[in-house]
Amino acid sequence: MEYVRLGQTGLEVSPIALGTWRFGMEHEETGIVETGREEAHELLDAYAEMGGNFIDTANGYGGGDSERWIGEWLDDRDREDYVIASKCYWSDVSRFQENLSAKNVRAEVEGSLAKLDTEYLDILYLHRFDDDTPIEKTLRTVDDLISEGKVHNVGLSTADAWKLTKGLWKADVNNYEAFTVTQPQYSAVYRDPVSEYLDVCEDQNLAVCPYSPLHGGFLTGKYERVGDGAVEAPDGSRGDIDEHFEDWYLKEDAWDVLEEIRAVAEETGASPAQVSLAWLLHHEDLTIVPIIGARTPDQLEENLGAVDVELTDAQFERIDAAME
């Protein structure tokens, strides 16, 4: 697997990152845990064996289990071989500290380092933008953590474009470490809400590591419309176990995009999931490293196969136009 340069971070990463949001995730309605400890380690093993080195987690994923399990897995490996990204905003320590105050940021980073059993994070994302804490206070704390060697790069996940711009400006005028990488939701289906955000990323040469690049699994093509608007979901899929799935993911124009992706998949001999990821990788104006959340090693292998799928400009444009 050929590595790519992650924007201005200087990091060399696999072109597709492994997301660990499902590690330890328990659905309140059903009690189902999506990925348990053994399955998590199997996925990490498979990812590493296939050449992957970029692992994405967060302080609160699985109530902290995601970071703990990654830390256990890293214990038998050379930490320097992997790029680990985590996040803070929601507290893993106290329900009264859900913000980006200096106190909470430092506490959550220290907690992440302890659970991961590592001395540093390659990337710390601000999971959300805190409207009640001046961003320069947050960035000053992160800047201190970078000076201490506990964080190497700072990024921003979900936010409005103007807030991303404000953060970049505040870092510049205060001489703090600025955002070099971002993590918005972005896929062949989910575009308009992040179009201005991505314009900022392109202008400022920020790397983009989108989450939900397969739109919650919808772009794998495993869902079908039946009867009067009903949706057939495979047993155990997110559409089967998540009561919010249809409201969040199954918009009418999403089916139009999926239809075009299926057509391109037929032409290229690839799967719809691979074409959907290849569409992201095909962007020439942005450095995009999608984060996948596979549930099995087979799914992981299929998704990583997207790096070998070559789309023509015409195929890219057809998928692009299907959203209009």
Side-chain angles (χ1 to χ4, degrees):
M1 184 181 297
E2 293 185 10
Y3 288 176
V4 298
R5 181 63 67 94
L6 189 64
Q8 303 173 71
T9 66
L11 297 168
E12 298 283 343
V13 300
S14 41
I16 295 177
L18 176 63
T20 63
W21 175 56
R22 286 192 171 105
F23 289 11
M25 175 194 285
E26 181 175 350
H27 289 271
E28 294 181 3
E29 300 87 355
T30 62
I32 294 174
V33 175
E34 290 209 17
T35 301
R37 179 177 175 274
E38 289 185 11
E39 292 84 3
H41 286 177
E42 287 175 4
L43 284 168
L44 289 164
D45 283 340
Y47 182 62
E49 289 168 6
M50 296 175 203
N53 78 329
F54 190 9
I55 300 168
D56 183 86
T57 185
N59 60 334
Y61 287 175
D65 281 342
S66 176
E67 288 183 328
R68 278 187 283 269
W69 296 346
I70 293 168
E72 293 170 356
W73 181 82
L74 282 171
D75 190 49
D76 296 327
R77 290 164 177 79
D78 187 344
R79 167 68 177 89
E80 295 298 321
D81 289 342
Y82 299 94
V83 174
I84 308 297
S86 193
K87 310 175 189 72
C88 68
Y89 177 87
W90 289 284
S91 176
D92 189 41
V93 178
S94 169
R95 65 187 179 91
F96 299 110
Q97 291 293 326
E98 296 184 350
N99 54 52
L100 293 177
S101 66
K103 177 182 178 180
N104 197 46
V105 169
R106 183 169 286 278
E108 295 308 317
V109 169
E110 296 285 3
S112 290
L113 295 177
K115 292 194 291 291
L116 288 163
D117 193 19
T118 184
E119 295 180 353
Y120 65 92
L121 298 174
D122 294 282
I123 300 168
L124 171 67
Y125 290 104
L126 308 183
H127 214 155
R128 292 292 187 273
F129 199 97
D130 182 3
D131 294 322
D132 296 321
T133 301
I135 187 62
E136 57 267 34
K137 291 184 178 293
T138 302
L139 292 174
R140 180 173 62 191
T141 304
V142 175
D143 200 64
D144 289 342
L145 290 165
I146 290 174
S147 297
E148 295 165 19
K150 296 177 179 179
V151 171
H152 289 175
N153 298 277
V154 60
L156 179 64
S157 185
T158 302
D160 295 325
W162 71 267
K163 294 179 181 180
L164 170 59
T165 303
K166 179 179 179 179
L168 291 167
W169 171 60
K170 288 291 188 178
D172 182 48
V173 298
N174 288 286
N175 198 30
Y176 296 148
E177 192 76 16
F179 303 131
T180 51
V181 58
T182 61
Q183 190 177 124
Q185 181 179 351
Y186 183 51
S187 70
V189 168
Y190 191 89
R191 304 184 213 167
D192 286 347
V194 291
S195 60
E196 292 183 354
Y197 185 100
L198 294 178
D199 286 343
V200 177
C201 294
E202 180 183 352
D203 180 72
Q204 296 296 307
N205 191 26
L206 306 181
V208 179
C209 299
Y211 70 89
S212 200
L214 295 177
H215 202 56
F218 172 77
L219 291 174
T220 63
K222 61 189 173 187
Y223 297 98
E224 300 288 349
R225 284 192 287 192
V226 293
D228 293 331
V231 176
E232 186 175 60
D235 292 340
S237 67
R238 190 178 301 181
D240 179 47
I241 65 178
D242 189 339
E243 63 179 9
H244 303 294
F245 184 80
E246 289 195 31
D247 292 336
W248 288 350
Y249 296 105
L250 302 187
K251 308 299 183 185
E252 184 61 33
D253 51 7
W255 293 102
D256 296 335
V257 175
L258 179 59
E259 181 179 355
E260 197 61 60
I261 284 173
R262 282 172 163 160
V264 173
E266 180 107 10
E267 295 164 8
T268 58
S271 70
Q274 290 172 334
V275 170
S276 299
L277 293 168
W279 182 84
L280 288 168
L281 298 174
H282 191 85
H283 284 60
E284 296 179 351
D285 49 357
L286 288 165
T287 298
I288 294 186
V289 178
I291 302 169
I292 56 171
R295 298 179 68 178
T296 68
D298 286 344
Q299 285 182 355
L300 181 61
E301 182 175 12
E302 176 190 350
N303 290 343
L304 291 178
V307 301
D308 298 319
V309 176
E310 295 185 7
L311 300 183
T312 65
D313 290 344
Q315 289 169 331
F316 178 89
E317 292 298 335
R318 280 165 49 196
I319 295 171
D320 202 49
M323 198 70 187
E324 298 176 357

